[in-house]
Amino acid sequence: MTGGLAGGQLFFFDKLDSTMNRASKLADDGYPDGTVVVAGQQTSAKGRLGRSWISPPGQNIYLSAIVRPTLSQLRYVNMAATLAVCRTISDISDLSPSIKWPNDVKVNGRKISGVLIESVIEMGMLKHAVLGIGMNVSLDPSEIPEISSTATSLSVELGTYFDKNAVLKILIERLDQFYNLIKRGCSITEEWVCQMETIGKTIQVRIGDQLLEGKARCVDNEGNLVLEKPDGSVLTLIAGEITLQS
Ligand code: BT5
């Protein structure tokens, strides 16, 4: 079936352990850039750094796409994905989504979507990467104690039902649009920063067993966060390795 990024193949499954695992297998089997895997439910869905993504059956989006950018374009894939989620939400509602550096999309201070990128690099070359997006369409976080005070969904925010396939179609279109921009070498960093809530805030960062506090000064062109510590010194935080404390 076509319908993935730029008309690539789109695979639907009722239930998977993780769309990341299935997309990764398809990538190993040679499926091309833009192949998309979607599941109705995930039993072992992954977040970053060993965390998990709660993926009950029903009206939520669990998507992974095979992407084959160059190694230097890879750092912009997370920007493309978070921006695509924000634009999708703006396209279908008057909500004001914002990005919490580096990979969360929030609405009214609660997480509605998260992005995960797994890449396989061999001998300095990117073999492939898998881009994962979880987006809460009709999730009811009040039923899930772990995320009841931190998560939200389109239905909770707007009080209406959404057809997840209609939302998925727009999300894939937006993803395709931003992904093509980065593949053409266009910078989307400025647009990403405009959508970000983190800049200017005092934030806490955990690095190993160290907890650091500082002011999020700006994001550099590669998407790294520049943190100003209380003594005035500056630290560059690399996206993908760090989580900001809530
Ligand atoms: C992420 O990790 O936010 C990346 C999530 C990526 C999920 C997608 S779903 C499709 C694809 N297949 C997969 O197996 N994964 C990807 P991180 O920044 O580590 O955030 C994880 C944290 O978000 C958890 O520790 C919870 O606090 C919170 N969380 C978990 N499930 C959530 C949900 N459904 N809605 C909102 N927050 C959630």
Side-chain angles (χ1 to χ4, degrees), residues 44-95:
S44 312
K46 309 182 218 182
R48 296 182 313 141
L49 307 168
R51 291 186 289 258
S52 54
W53 186 256
I54 294 167
S55 308
Q59 290 291 320
N60 302 300
I61 293 173
Y62 312 118
L63 166 159
S64 291
I66 298 172
V67 285
R68 298 182 185 276
T70 64
L71 191 52
S72 59
Q73 290 165 344
L74 179 63
R75 60 175 66 94
Y76 303 113
V77 172
N78 171 62
M79 291 186 193
T82 44
L83 275 171
V85 171
C86 289
R87 290 291 175 276
T88 301
I89 294 171
S90 306
D91 284 350
I92 58 177
S93 73
D94 56 4
L95 295 171

Side-chain angles (χ1 to χ4, degrees), residues 67-71 74 119-122 124-129:
V67 285
R68 298 182 185 276
T70 64
L71 191 52
L74 179 63
S119 47
V120 179
I121 296 170
E122 278 177 8
M125 300 276 286
L126 179 69
K127 215 172 144 221
H128 67 254

Side-chain angles (χ1 to χ4, degrees), residues 173-191:
E173 281 164 14
R174 288 300 197 172
L175 200 52
D176 190 43
Q177 177 195 341
F178 284 109
Y179 182 51
N180 278 314
L181 281 176
I182 63 176
K183 289 221 300 184
R184 288 209 305 269
C186 304
S187 173
I188 55 172
T189 308
E190 208 177 308
E191 213 170 336

Side-chain angles (χ1 to χ4, degrees), residues 85-188:
V85 171
C86 289
R87 290 291 175 276
T88 301
I89 294 171
S90 306
D91 284 350
I92 58 177
S93 73
D94 56 4
L95 295 171
S96 304
S98 62
I99 296 167
K100 179 185 166 203
W101 184 90
N103 70 317
D104 288 355
V105 177
K106 291 182 141 192
V107 169
N108 291 325
R110 289 176 179 233
K111 184 161 173 173
I112 197 163
S113 173
V115 169
L116 172 70
I117 293 164
E118 293 182 331
S119 47
V120 179
I121 296 170
E122 278 177 8
M123 291 191 289
M125 300 276 286
L126 179 69
K127 215 172 144 221
H128 67 254
V130 175
L131 156 67
I133 302 179
M135 183 173 174
N136 300 330
V137 178
S138 298
L139 183 94
D140 180 359
S142 69
E143 292 174 350
I144 309 165
E146 301 102 285
I147 54 168
S148 60
S149 61
T150 55
T152 193
S153 66
L154 287 174
S155 291
V156 166
E157 293 299 324
L158 294 159
T160 45
Y161 166 83
F162 279 91
D163 174 7
K164 92 170 162 188
N165 290 327
V167 181
L168 176 67
K169 186 167 180 286
I170 298 169
L171 178 61
I172 289 175
E173 281 164 14
R174 288 300 197 172
L175 200 52
D176 190 43
Q177 177 195 341
F178 284 109
Y179 182 51
N180 278 314
L181 281 176
I182 63 176
K183 289 221 300 184
R184 288 209 305 269
C186 304
S187 173
I188 55 172

